[in-house]
Amino acid sequence: MRIPPTDSPRPTVSADPTPPADQSDQAAVRFAKLQQIEALGVDPWGQRFDGHTPVAAVRELPCETFDSGTTGPTVRIAGRVVGKRDKGKIFFLDVWDQTGKIQVMLGAKQIGDLGWKLLNLTDLGDLIGIEGEFGKTKLGEPTVRAATFTYLTKSLEPHPTNYYGLADEETRLRKRYLDLIYTSDTLRRAHQRVKILRTIRNHLDSQGFLEVETPVLQAVASGAAARPFDTHHNALDIPLVLRIALELPLKRLLVGGIEKVYEIGRVFRNEGISHKHNPEFTMLELYSAYGDLFSIMDLTENLLVACVDAIGPSSFVERTEKYKNDKGEEQERTIRTPSFEVLGPRTIPWGDKQVNFTPPFQRAKYGDLFCQHVGCDMQDRAAVKAKASEFKVPDKLHDEKTKTSVEKEHDVLVNDLFSEVVEPHLVGPVFVYDYPAAICPLTKRKPSEPHIAERFELYVHGMELANAYTELNDPITQEATFRKQLAGQSEEDSMAKLDDDFIRALRHGMPPAGGLGIGIDRLVMLLTNTPTIRDVILFPLLRPEGK
RNA sequence: GAGUCGGUAGCUCAGCUGGUAGAGCAGCAGACUUUUAAUCUGCGGGUCCUGGGUUCGAUCCCCAGCCGACUCACCA
């Protein structure tokens, strides 16, 4: 951060000095203007400003051209100066608030002596309040013709002024406040994210689900396979971890009689960062007593369709078009069309692809897809091994620390092959169900086929959007799967972290139930056509800036 | 973790074979009461990411590091 020059003493308020500022240092120039505003007896940091109307709402008001003889409505607006056109004794400012942008016209005679002085001390990025008549200029531009000018806050740092806005990815992430102002998609995504979350909550609440909050600080990182963040409680002097999943506490609530329960919460995984991974992210998990994976499948489908319907109207397809400007020069512009109009109802763009969420979604058995794409029965151990080497999927797990290799368990190898060979073909949305049991330690087995777990995942363009089970409620089997370390999985990769209290809870009787997990960030990415998780999270984790 | 690319003025970028850097916008001074990516005249502004090395001389070449992006690996 740039600090105002401390060696130049602040002038006393009485004088009307022009503090010597290095005119090449924009921050110093702005600080000098700040002092001049103070010298005029005006608070450069502003005060309460009541009764202002959002810019978008002002633009909706009926209005006439200013010299038509009729007087337009008087409005008050507050916002940031993002454009300045100085015409001598008249200024045009573009004022931006989170709803939009509007032109303000300020004449020397109209806003008075003090107002005119303040206007001349106004920079791009300052916050101002305007009261005036709303109408149109000769050229038809909706405009507020200022009667009063109120200083609301000085910006001591210069703002990005390039027409094309912020381009540097790092600046966009580190200075998200600027990104929100100068990259319109950032604000749009923030709104769409909330809309999705609200839709999910409304949908579940209306079906009798109870939203709860469970502890972030836990003694055991359970419910998923991931390395946790370690922390420590001082007063109790015990190690704690930040949760990596929501599952086990919510299932305890099933035991406690909350038949339909969900949580939307932050989980933390101490792993790599990529365009699909942030160390903290938001999960939805829900549990519904007396259901199973197929009841959850229906629920998931309805839930997603509700989200798509909520988001669809603000989803756009972009294309560039060439046109000739006033001077006859050929230029390009981007045209945005509502995607529902172009692609059809419930179809949204995803990069150069699209996704059609019209129900019913496709449903396919894991084993059938495996057979179709890999080319052998997933139960056939010898054939799977042969296919693994054909597709160059290693059948051993190498442990770097002990320098040893272990043969992967059959189901682990099957799953690796599925990820490698089948997933890329899953355009979706498609429910893949009936998973190999060994990789699903929290899932109920099919009574008729104990090697199959009653689990589904929802895939869209190779991305896993949802994961659901018929929940395992048999404490004896659950304890056994927890204790069994899968060959071919490292301990860190394993979900098999024993939680004695959870087993005890199951022993008191958890109803048969269906459960669902959805990564909210990935869902928002997909529905808002955002290729990176960093842009659906306002403040993604970045390495601290080195000094 | 590996590879590739990038980091130059407040912002967006250019900079050829190595000779200490330019543009537009922004800023400063001036003109203009209907402009709208305003226009016109003039001016100022750089730790060329950091540290080493090679060289008479490095923004440029070499090495190391920092930060970011992308691809891959990892990943419920």
Side-chain angles (χ1 to χ4, degrees), chain A residues 268-282:
Chain A
F268 306 83
R269 298 188 182 177
N270 205 341
E271 291 170 349
I273 298 175
S274 79
H275 67 106
K276 275 157 82 180
H277 301 262
N278 195 59
E280 53 178 301
F281 60 101
T282 303

Side-chain angles (χ1 to χ4, degrees), chain A residues 182-418:
Chain A
Y182 298 102
T183 311
S184 61
D185 274 351
T186 306
L187 184 62
R188 191 199 88 220
R189 287 193 190 104
H191 276 106
Q192 289 183 321
R193 181 178 178 121
V194 173
K195 208 174 230 174
I196 290 166
L197 284 168
R198 200 152 285 158
T199 303
I200 292 172
R201 288 197 162 99
N202 288 342
H203 190 86
L204 295 178
D205 293 350
S206 71
Q207 295 187 21
F209 279 84
L210 181 72
E211 181 174 11
V212 297
E213 293 175 281
T214 64
V216 170
L217 290 171
Q218 300 180 341
V220 187
S222 54
R227 200 184 308 180
F229 284 90
D230 295 311
T231 184
H232 185 263
H233 188 272
N234 288 345
L236 297 180
D237 191 23
I238 50 167
L240 291 172
V241 293
L242 304 188
R243 66 182 173 190
I244 57 173
L246 313 175
E247 182 147 356
L248 269 44
L250 292 177
K251 283 183 173 173
R252 287 176 171 90
L253 297 176
L254 281 183
V255 175
I258 304 179
E259 293 181 8
K260 292 178 164 192
V261 67
Y262 75 99
E263 178 167 10
I264 293 174
R266 205 69 63 84
V267 297
F268 306 83
R269 298 188 182 177
N270 205 341
E271 291 170 349
I273 298 175
S274 79
H275 67 106
K276 275 157 82 180
H277 301 262
N278 195 59
E280 53 178 301
F281 60 101
T282 303
M283 288 272 297
L284 160 71
E285 288 198 27
L286 70 81
Y287 295 87
S288 183
Y290 315 118
D292 70 359
L293 90 157
F294 292 107
S295 67
I296 296 293
M297 219 179 264
D298 295 338
L299 183 151
T300 305
E301 192 172 281
N302 291 333
L303 185 63
L304 285 182
V305 168
C307 288
V308 170
D309 287 345
I311 273 304
S314 56
S315 169
F316 293 90
V317 177
E318 288 187 353
R319 66 193 155 85
T320 53
E321 180 187 84
K322 289 197 167 141
Y323 74 104
K324 294 206 166 148
N325 66 7
D326 303 344
K327 293 163 191 157
E329 297 157 342
E330 192 154 280
Q331 292 190 314
E332 278 193 353
R333 66 183 159 200
T334 304
I335 309 260
R336 291 184 145 197
T337 321
S339 53
F340 280 15
E341 287 177 17
V342 185
L343 305 174
R346 290 176 174 162
T347 300
I348 57 168
W350 174 243
D352 53 3
K353 308 181 186 94
Q354 39 186 271
V355 192
N356 185 346
F357 282 98
T358 308
F361 301 168
Q362 195 190 338
R363 300 181 179 197
K365 280 194 183 183
Y366 187 101
D368 293 347
L369 290 169
F370 190 91
C371 196
Q372 181 188 339
H373 292 100
V374 178
C376 74
D377 189 326
M378 73 180 207
Q379 310 291 357
D380 185 338
R381 288 170 181 261
V384 165
K385 273 205 127 166
K387 287 292 177 186
S389 72
E390 185 184 325
F391 286 105
K392 297 193 173 64
V393 173
D395 60 355
K396 290 192 175 76
L397 181 90
H398 190 70
D399 188 331
E400 282 298 323
K401 286 173 212 148
T402 58
K403 299 283 177 207
T404 54
S405 297
V406 267
E407 194 107 335
K408 283 180 186 167
E409 182 139 330
H410 175 70
D411 280 356
V412 175
L413 188 59
V414 165
N415 197 46
D416 288 352
L417 262 172
F418 188 91

Side-chain angles (χ1 to χ4, degrees), chain A residues 1-4 25-31 45 80-81 123-126 153-161 175 177-178 182:
Chain A
M1 183 189 132
R2 206 183 295 259
I3 296 163
D25 183 343
Q26 298 196 37
V29 167
R30 282 164 182 260
F31 184 69
W45 305 112
R80 200 174 289 276
V81 178
D123 288 305
L124 296 178
D126 292 356
T153 287
K154 185 82 202 159
S155 168
L156 286 176
E157 293 289 331
H159 284 229
T161 55
K175 301 184 179 171
Y177 42 89
L178 294 181
Y182 298 102

Side-chain angles (χ1 to χ4, degrees), chain A residues 121-165:
Chain A
L121 294 168
T122 302
D123 288 305
L124 296 178
D126 292 356
L127 295 170
I128 60 169
I130 295 292
E131 182 172 310
E133 180 194 353
F134 178 59
K136 277 184 187 160
T137 60
K138 270 183 202 163
L139 296 175
E141 178 73 18
T143 299
V144 178
R145 191 160 61 176
T148 66
F149 177 95
T150 308
Y151 227 90
L152 291 177
T153 287
K154 185 82 202 159
S155 168
L156 286 176
E157 293 289 331
H159 284 229
T161 55
N162 188 274
Y163 176 65
Y164 303 98

